[in-house]
Structure formats: structure tokens, C-alpha cells
Amino acid sequence: MPPISEVRSYMHGLWLMFCGDPKGQSYLDLTDRGMMRSFFSAIWSVPALLLSWFWWQRAFKVEQVLESMSGPSYYLRLALVEAICWVVPLVLIGGLMLMSDVRGKFPAVVTVVNWLNLPFAYASAALVLIAVAVPGMQGFVALLWFALLLTLVWTFSRILSLILGKQPLLVSTAVMTLLIPGMLLSEVLQRFLGVYPG
């Protein structure tokens, strides 16, 4: 697993790329090996995910009043949803890139997307903490969630533009492919697996 020093280097590279500096790519391993190692970002995200899942479980129990959903099976189902919603968009983006002239950039795209998920996972966890600590600020937290989503779209767009080149249509399609299927799948799978509150 990449050590914290390596993860910091990746985050610095992503920041430079977000700022429009192509030199940021040199801080990331954009090879096939780097692509495979980028899936370790899921392990680095575990603390943030657990916090989010705990909050989701609380919402579930308030709605359903079911104490039986407090065991490990509940978290395993949420982990399954998370894994599917992570991998499916990457598979779809692979299909999209196979149909274009940038198929060789697939490892770079996967690497960047995986490592970008890390800071946004912790940003989401921070919003969960605010929601839990100050229950009366649901409206404000909802606005922050929306702002975070817009930031994610903007970040993906800027960084993918560096990797894929100045191809607005391809970049826009890639961003939508990375975000929309996961959002749709998340609710469908949560309802199917019985972990959706409401």
C-alpha cells in the first residue's frame, strides 16, 4: 500500500493539475502499475467511509426503527454498494475511451479518478460531522453538499482536460460517465439491498 508520503505527493500533483499545471502529472504514477496501485485509495478512504456509513445507519434506524440493522451485515451491504458504484463508472469510461482516439490515456484517467476520490471522501465525512454535531443546520449542510458536488464536477473537468486534451465534448462526456451512473446505481442498489432509509 502506498505510504502517506506517496499519497501526499499524489495530492500535490492533483492540486497542480487542478491549477492547470501539466507538471502535476509527474507527481503521479500514470502507468498500468500506478493504475492498479491507485485502488489502494479505497483503503485510505475507509475512515471517512465508515463515518458516512455510521451516519447513514442512524438515518436508516430513525426511519425504519430496526435495531437488527446494526450488525456487520449492514456495513457489508454498504461496502458492496460503494464498491460497485466505484468500479462501474470506471468500466464505462474504459468503453468510452475505447471508442475514441485517447484509449492509451485510460490508466492515467483511472489513476487520477481513484486518487481524487480520496479528498472528496474526507470532504463528505466533514459534512457528515457537521450534520451530526449541529442537527439544526440540515439546510445549510444540503447547500454544502451541492457545492461539493459542483466542486467535484469542476475538478474532474479541469484535470481530465489536461489528460485528454482540449476536447470539450469528450471531457464533458467523461465527467458525466464518471458521476451520473454511480449516483443512479447508489440509490437503486441501496433499495435492492435494504439499506435505504425511507
Side-chain angles (χ1 to χ4, degrees), residues 53-74:
W53 295 345
F54 174 72
W55 174 78
W56 195 251
Q57 181 192 38
R58 284 185 58 187
F60 186 96
K61 290 170 71 174
V62 166
E63 292 289 337
Q64 303 292 336
V65 198
L66 291 175
E67 293 296 330
S68 61
M69 297 308 294
S70 60
S73 66
Y74 183 85

Side-chain angles (χ1 to χ4, degrees), residues 96-130:
L96 173 67
M97 295 181 73
L98 277 175
M99 295 184 291
S100 68
D101 58 351
V102 293
R103 64 185 65 184
K105 300 292 183 69
F106 180 67
V109 170
V110 172
T111 301
V112 163
V113 168
N114 283 346
W115 286 116
L116 268 178
N117 282 331
L118 181 60
F120 280 97
Y122 280 92
S124 296
L127 295 184
V128 168
L129 283 176
I130 296 173

